[in-house]
Amino acid sequence: MTNRSSAHRTFLATSIAASASFWIAISPAFAQQSAPRDPAEPQQEQPHPKLLPRPAAAIARQSVDEKSMRALIEQLVSCGTRLSLSSWTDPKRGIGCGRDHIVARLNEIAKESGGKLQIVVDKFEATSERTAGKPVPLESVYAILPGSDPKLAKTLFIVSGHYDSRPSDVISTEADAPGADDDASGVSVSVESARLLSKAAASGKGGYRATLLFAAIPGEEQGLLGGYRLLEWAKQQGYTIGGMLDDDIVGDDPSPGAPHRVRLFSGNGEIDDCDSPGRELARAIEEIDGRDNIRMIFRVDRYGRGGDHYPFYKAGLPAVRFTEPLEDYSHQHQTPRTENGIEYGDFAKYLNASFLGDVARDNAEALRQLAMAPAPPTNARLTGAVTPDAKVSWSTEGDPERAGFEILWRETTEPRWQVYDFAASPGETVLRGVSTDNHFFAVRAVGKNGARSIAVPTEIERRPPPLPAGTKQ
Ligand SMILES: [Zn+2]
């Protein structure tokens, strides 16, 4: 199969060389890039803004502590099961054992942070079909790194993994549920991000203007109970959600040809001509971590599956999900057993430490840059329909650390933004000779430190066409 497809690629490559016109005929992407038969936009020369480089001191891959990540996963697996309905008080078996290991590890990290990292255990109750309709006690663990900017400290960037696990029977507390990949792996990414980012904060070098929250939450397998609670808790504390990174099943990459890119899921949103905040968060992460490391998937989650980013996404907030490149279903949601020679169970032995370390680095670096950025602009608008020039306007609050704004555009069929121009201050920018109709537009804020906010797509004034008399809009 592999040989056949590479032979096929070779054939295509040869064909391109032999016949450029053949290639154009079969490749819409190429046709769009060259756009030989479309009018130039802008009609005169395009601006060439000088762009600030991204923030220095990126987190180095070798600073990720794979050994400690692995140790935490093994401690969590040693709890036998971490089903949310299991014991909260038995230190050896059950979800309480999981909570204890996470709190202990975060306390170690907090000590090294010079007191900057604060650990909170949030106790609550929740009910679902999978709690037999009865309220059950749950506890979420949050490590909080407060932002340095008085205004932006009320904005929260979250990384989260769920520490509950499940066997085949979703309410059985008897069966073992090691849950190494689902989702001790995600918890280890959240905890390692806390270590990587609070280390810099301790030495006064972090520069995080917004607040960072590293979460390990329960109740996912019982119906996203910890995710819904996290959203509620953040609102109760008066936070705005700057971005939510859910890491769930991020520990394995067994397919030939590894390492592969981690998948990053983001939902489409529900507004025409406009992308969801989650999509903008995904684009921001891809831009920070690079296309070699992130595989964006424009879908809220895998089919038939859910995750803790979902409550945030449904609330219209920027939330995404990281998941490994290709899942092995015999290692998920399975009571450990061997059947017909196949071993079922979510064991730590299947994990790939190097892949998991990559995911931790990508999460931490994305969080670092997002927390350094100015607030995204508000009221981004596109006007100028039925005129030769598009007009992009936006507003924002004062911020002495902000360098200005990038006006972004893209072909309506393109997945990624490009920078069209730079503006030092908010207001309205006229894009001379650019049609409102052929591109999508967005604006993002840029800090003097080079960190970018997530993009805010422009909204257009809705002008429905006249309708026949008696027709309802
Ligand atoms: Zn999961």
Side-chain angles (χ1 to χ4, degrees), residues 213-390:
L213 188 150
F214 310 91
I217 61 182
E220 200 270 352
E221 306 292 7
Q222 281 4 84
L224 313 179
L225 305 180
Y228 279 100
R229 171 61 190 170
L230 176 52
L231 175 55
E232 181 187 55
W233 178 89
K235 281 189 191 160
Q236 282 171 1
Q237 307 288 315
Y239 286 116
T240 300
I241 305 298
M244 192 274 189
L245 282 57
D246 176 30
D247 284 82
D248 195 350
I249 311 182
V250 290
D252 199 9
D253 181 17
S255 317
H260 300 99
R261 299 184 298 174
V262 67
R263 290 180 294 168
L264 183 62
F265 288 87
S266 65
N268 292 311
E270 285 157 10
I271 310 166
D272 280 354
D273 300 354
C274 187
D275 302 297
S276 74
R279 179 65 41 76
E280 297 308 343
L281 178 60
R283 290 188 174 113
I285 293 170
E286 191 209 46
E287 203 174 309
I288 291 167
D289 290 327
R291 283 164 76 165
D292 288 349
N293 298 314
I294 301 290
R295 179 182 182 186
M296 287 200 291
I297 304 220
F298 285 2
R299 172 168 289 150
V300 68
D301 208 327
R302 301 101 74 233
Y303 277 128
R305 308 294 293 273
D308 289 317
H309 63 310
Y310 188 74
F312 291 78
Y313 169 70
K314 283 310 273 182
L317 298 168
V320 293
R321 174 189 184 130
F322 287 85
T323 297
E324 66 197 28
L326 194 60
E327 293 162 86
D328 184 333
Y329 303 111
S330 58
H331 300 162
Q332 292 177 15
H333 299 185
Q334 298 284 351
T335 302
R337 66 192 188 281
T338 299
E339 254 173 38
N340 303 323
I342 298 169
E343 191 178 34
Y344 293 89
D346 186 355
F347 301 110
K349 67 178 177 185
Y350 297 125
L351 300 190
N352 176 330
S354 152
F355 175 78
L356 185 59
D358 290 348
V359 177
R361 190 268 168 200
D362 292 340
N363 271 263
E365 181 59 18
L367 290 163
R368 185 183 82 94
Q369 292 199 25
L370 289 166
M372 292 173 79
T378 50
N379 304 317
R381 297 265 182 278
L382 175 67
T383 56
V386 214
T387 76
D389 305 323

Side-chain angles (χ1 to χ4, degrees), residues 432-456:
R432 301 224 175 269
V434 173
S435 161
T436 51
D437 308 331
N438 305 334
H439 293 83
F440 291 137
F441 302 90
V443 187
R444 68 183 176 193
V446 187
K448 290 176 180 165
N449 57 12
R452 271 80 171 168
S453 76
I454 66 170
V456 180

